[in-house]
């Protein structure tokens, strides 16, 4: 069996990443948006950087760091700690196809995105739907700090409850204070 490589996303990865996204949506119901136009969703103008997990020529996973675009996790962190949104990145679009799981690919992809955040001076935040328990276990295991809860809005007036996180090592505001109420929720 070929080894899995985590590498920067290349334009030629788009069809494979879109197919993997559709597969993950069919098996897990993730994501709740973007599936109708997966290529556009993956290559949004808000993407700062993204990576794929590849086995040979097959894309089996993906993660991105995005510019803030109205996410509750960004607002929550910025309000509590006074960070400017230009100092924040949103970890998003993380997925691994079912047959490639149990190889720590989700963890490897998240750690790659976290290293990018550190190198570029961006605090990473995210929100994860309460229904996505495997993702919640991953973020908790990697030391992400829960900063509160929010509603994740999508589609035509739909929403679901989400947990907001900030990356480990950034759990204090830039002035050294703790982020305030909601910590550890």
């Amino acid at each position: 069996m070929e080894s899995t490589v985590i590498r920067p996303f290349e334009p030629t990865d788009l069809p494979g990443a879109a197919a993997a996204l559709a597969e993950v949506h069919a098996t897990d119901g993730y994501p709740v948006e973007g599936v109708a136009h997966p290529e556009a969703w993956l290559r949004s103008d808000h993407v700062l950087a993204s990576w794929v997990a590849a086995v040979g020529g097959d894309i089996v996973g993906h993660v991105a760091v995005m510019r803030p675009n109205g996410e509750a996790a960004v607002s929550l962190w910025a309000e509590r700690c006074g960070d400017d949104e230009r100092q924040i990145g949103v970890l998003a679009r993380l997925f691994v196809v079912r047959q490639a799981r149990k190889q720590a690919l989700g963890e490897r992809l998240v750690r790659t995105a976290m290293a990018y955040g550190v190198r570029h001076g961006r605090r990473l935040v995210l929100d994860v739907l309460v229904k996505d328990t495997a993702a919640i276990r991953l973020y908790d295991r990697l030391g992400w700090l829960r900063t509160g809860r929010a509603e994740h809005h999508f589609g035509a007036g739909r929403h679901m409850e989400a947990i907001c996180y900030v990356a480990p090592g950034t759990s204090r505001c830039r002035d050294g204070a703790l982020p305030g109420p909601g910590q550890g929720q």
Side-chain angles (χ1 to χ4, degrees), residues 20-93:
L21 174 70
E23 181 180 331
V24 169
H25 178 74
T27 59
D28 301 329
Y30 172 86
V32 294
E33 69 251 316
V35 185
H37 304 285
E39 291 186 359
W41 192 72
L42 288 168
R43 295 312 308 152
S44 159
D45 291 340
H46 297 286
V47 174
L48 291 167
S50 59
W51 301 266
V52 293
V55 178
D58 296 329
I59 303 303
V60 297
H62 178 275
V63 70
V65 173
M66 315 281 290
R67 282 181 195 85
N69 186 31
E71 295 87 356
V74 172
S75 300
L76 185 62
W77 184 259
E79 288 169 11
R80 291 206 176 139
C81 290
D83 280 359
D84 184 293
E85 285 193 5
R86 292 173 293 187
Q87 301 167 312
I88 299 172
V90 180
L91 188 138
R93 289 144 170 79

Side-chain angles (χ1 to χ4, degrees), residues 67-138:
R67 282 181 195 85
N69 186 31
E71 295 87 356
V74 172
S75 300
L76 185 62
W77 184 259
E79 288 169 11
R80 291 206 176 139
C81 290
D83 280 359
D84 184 293
E85 285 193 5
R86 292 173 293 187
Q87 301 167 312
I88 299 172
V90 180
L91 188 138
R93 289 144 170 79
L94 172 66
F95 58 88
V96 175
V97 298
R98 180 165 288 181
Q99 73 268 19
R101 295 180 189 166
K102 305 292 183 198
Q103 299 176 40
L105 295 181
E107 178 176 342
R108 288 174 59 197
L109 286 162
V110 170
R111 288 187 185 281
T112 299
M114 290 167 56
Y116 172 90
V118 170
R119 280 191 317 274
H120 293 275
R122 286 188 181 259
R123 291 188 192 264
L124 295 187
V125 300
L126 62 87
D127 68 45
V128 60
L129 297 178
V130 171
K131 74 171 188 66
D132 294 326
T133 57
I136 291 168
R137 284 191 305 271
L138 172 65

Side-chain angles (χ1 to χ4, degrees), residues 32-33 152-159:
V32 294
E33 69 251 316
H152 179 87
H153 297 272
F154 61 98
R158 299 183 65 198
H159 59 89

